[in-house]
Amino acid sequence: MESFIQSGYVTGINKPGIAKLEQRIMSEMESFIRDNPKLPADELDKVAKQVTMRHLSMARTDGQREAKIKARLQELQQDRWG
């Protein structure tokens, strides 16, 4: 996951955010493995990539949304206070 973050795929995530994201991915994968204990390793790898990409995409969207909100807030403050 660090490679995605370092490559710039996900921007605006700090270290606590990365840890939180990793925890979400790990908990989802643990429950998936508990529900499907006999799944082959290649299928598990495929599902792990899907789960990771889904969570990274959500984090990316959240980061973009927060950036837009901050930009809009600054714009409104400039309009109000000059």
Side-chain angles (χ1 to χ4, degrees):
M1 179 161 39
E2 287 290 329
S3 62
F4 285 110
I5 294 167
Q6 290 173 355
S7 69
Y9 182 78
V10 180
T11 57
I13 298 179
N14 51 16
K15 291 288 182 184
I18 292 169
K20 191 174 168 184
L21 189 62
E22 287 176 344
Q23 183 61 35
R24 280 191 221 148
I25 293 169
M26 289 297 294
S27 65
E28 186 172 339
M29 283 306 300
E30 286 172 358
S31 67
F32 181 80
I33 291 171
R34 233 180 289 120
D35 294 341
N36 302 297
K38 295 183 180 181
L39 208 61
D42 58 336
E43 288 293 321
L44 281 176
D45 188 45
K46 186 172 142 183
V47 171
K49 287 179 183 177
Q50 290 174 346
V51 168
T52 302
M53 287 305 294
R54 184 176 72 238
H55 281 282
L56 287 174
S57 294
M58 287 189 294
R60 182 179 185 177
T61 303
D62 289 344
Q64 290 171 344
R65 185 180 312 120
E66 287 177 14
K68 286 181 182 179
I69 290 171
K70 286 179 184 178
R72 180 66 177 142
L73 177 62
Q74 288 178 349
E75 182 181 319
L76 290 172
Q77 287 175 340
Q78 288 177 350
D79 287 347
R80 184 172 182 189
W81 301 111

